[in-house]
Amino acid sequence: MYKNLIPLLLFLVGTANAQDPPVTFKEVSGDVGLQLGGGAACWVDLDNDGWTDLCAGAIWKNNEGKSFSRFGDVAPGSVIAADFNNDGFVDLFSWSSLKLYRNDGGKGLVEVPLPDLPRIGSRGAVWADLNNDTFVDLYVGGYEGSERSLLVLINEGGKSFRVARSEGKHATRGVTACDFDEDGDVDVYVSNYRLQPNLLWLNDGKAGLKEAAGDYGVIATKPGFGGGHSIGAAWGDFNNDGRIDLFAGNFAHVDGRGDQPKSRFLRNLGEKQGFKFEDLGTCGVHYQESYASPSVADYDNDGNLDLFFTTVYGVASFGRKNNSVLFRNNGKFTVKDVSEAAGLSGLPPTYQAAWADYDNDGDLDLTTAGKLFQNQGSPHAWLKLRLVGDGAAINRSAIGAQARVSVGATTFTRQVETGTGEGNQCETTLHFGLGNHQGPVEIEILWPNRTRQSMKGVKTNRQLTVEFKSP
């Protein structure tokens, strides 16, 4: 009898108390010198000083978490970031202008020519090493009015790119990626608008992409509809079982076309069931006339990935309340609106939603609606992992790598990713909230080439850099 209680006791030790005071946010944009637009945001450490910088229209250098100042004179628009030439400095691709910028050693940005591209109006893209040659490639989505809705650019050894695939069928909004089936290559999930089905491009490890959303149960719709009005999606292990699940964000009108598919949580069923997904429905994401870009993070460090979900329409549009919402996750696929308690209620419409620990204090801060919200903290333990590839077997940005932190019987999982929601990028340093656990933890890293690396007795409440080393 007592043996059966051990997993439960270990779980309780590693998670937060439901009666803990709510974590709140303070708007600090003016205090730190930020003047942001409302476009998509990307957090990235451009000068390798250990403090994540912010790209939101202009580029803002983080001055040790105390203030921000303009970085260079380039305003690249909306970007995603990765080290495309494996030189140790993170570069930028502007999906809004279809331009590539090389990081000049942390001193500035230099535009790099791209091949002739079809006319494409993009609302999101993703970096991923699609062919496993250690150089990250680009998947660019194209929205309405574009000649193409799919554009794959293959990286030619960090020197140039070639168009490997270009076609057009869908009204693509957000693009995000994950090795959800843990087979060593990154797969791509595409959010499509106009009640068109979402797409899951299954990667064969050589950049051969096969559409398989129906086979895996991630179209994110319901009977009677081909798809949802999807704007963005986000990957994350929402129930701490070690498998990466998916949240698909749907706009979901209720009009003459019927009660359209709402946003849904899709649970990864794991290897025994072929890594297919179970549609769990809304799980507490309440209806309003509009939603926009989702972004996930453990904002209160209780170990559970929470959801921030922006809105397209304003507060009183269509005679209904429309607000960006912070949903707190209980770790069992049930979320609750905590926007007011957290100090995030009443925000204006925006597609901007990106998380980062800009002040390096162990909790995640939020950029949304042209503002920076500083997390006021919690008493819970945390751990941050910065994963670095060697540039020979693993891309230097370690995109596609997954890390699992074990606390007793509970496993917390995070992945290194670029695009999330519609065109945003959170900080790529992996953040783990650990609840009330204060002792050392065990870590397992699954690198993109399927190499596994384990670490035991890792101390918490700190950031750790882990570099890939060939076995």
Side-chain angles (χ1 to χ4, degrees), residues 138-424:
L138 282 164
Y139 183 111
V140 185
Y143 190 51
E144 295 175 338
S146 301
E147 292 178 349
R148 302 290 187 269
S149 63
L150 184 165
L151 184 61
V152 176
L153 300 178
I154 295 297
N155 189 336
E156 302 278 74
K159 299 177 180 179
S160 61
F161 285 78
R162 63 178 173 86
V163 178
R165 188 166 180 175
S166 175
E167 59 190 58
K169 295 180 181 179
H170 299 95
T172 293
R173 304 288 296 248
V175 183
T176 189
C178 178
D179 180 12
F180 74 93
D181 53 1
E182 302 172 31
D183 65 349
D185 52 60
V186 178
D187 311 292
V188 180
Y189 189 74
V190 178
S191 299
N192 291 316
Y193 204 60
R194 301 299 180 197
L195 297 178
Q196 297 176 355
N198 290 354
L199 308 176
L200 175 64
W201 292 106
L202 202 62
N203 188 2
D204 64 1
K206 301 178 182 179
L209 303 179
K210 177 184 178 182
E211 208 290 298
D215 295 338
Y216 283 83
V218 293
I219 294 177
T221 188
K222 68 178 187 178
F225 292 90
H229 284 299
S230 290
I231 290 180
W235 297 95
D237 182 4
F238 295 106
N239 62 339
N240 294 329
D241 66 351
R243 297 185 288 266
I244 299 180
D245 314 299
L246 183 63
F247 176 79
N250 287 346
F251 193 103
H253 291 291
V254 174
D255 57 21
R257 292 169 291 183
D259 185 0
Q260 296 169 21
K262 307 296 189 299
S263 301
R264 32 243 308 132
F265 283 90
L266 305 165
R267 181 167 72 97
N268 188 335
L269 298 176
E271 184 175 8
K272 290 183 178 180
Q273 298 192 54
F275 291 100
K276 294 185 178 181
F277 288 77
E278 177 186 12
D279 189 334
L280 299 179
T282 62
C283 297
V285 175
H286 61 74
Y287 174 77
Q288 59 183 20
E289 182 59 35
S290 76
Y291 279 113
S293 187
S295 187
V296 300
D298 181 7
Y299 80 94
D300 55 359
N301 282 355
D302 70 345
N304 301 318
L305 280 176
D306 309 296
L307 169 69
F308 182 73
F309 204 3
T310 72
T311 185
V312 177
Y313 296 145
V315 174
S317 297
F318 289 81
R320 301 183 178 96
K321 181 179 179 181
N322 289 274
N323 287 119
S324 297
V325 183
L326 177 63
F327 291 101
R328 185 174 186 268
N329 175 22
N330 71 353
K332 301 177 182 178
F333 282 107
T334 301
V335 299
K336 179 182 178 181
D337 182 351
V338 294
S339 309
E340 185 173 357
L344 294 173
S345 61
L347 294 174
T350 184
Y351 293 99
Q352 186 182 84
W355 297 90
D357 182 10
Y358 85 90
D359 50 6
N360 284 343
D361 64 352
D363 51 50
L364 290 171
D365 312 294
L366 175 65
T367 300
T368 187
K371 299 178 181 180
L372 174 60
F373 291 89
Q374 183 189 60
N375 191 324
Q376 300 302 287
S378 78
H380 302 147
W382 54 274
L383 178 68
K384 297 199 305 183
L385 297 178
R386 177 175 173 263
L387 303 186
V388 181
D390 62 351
I394 305 295
N395 69 87
R396 287 295 294 269
S397 294
I399 293 169
Q402 300 176 9
R404 290 170 173 82
V405 172
S406 296
V407 176
T410 304
T411 301
F412 306 109
T413 305
R414 306 288 184 264
Q415 69 154 345
V416 182
E417 61 181 352
T418 57
T420 191
E422 186 187 81
N424 294 282

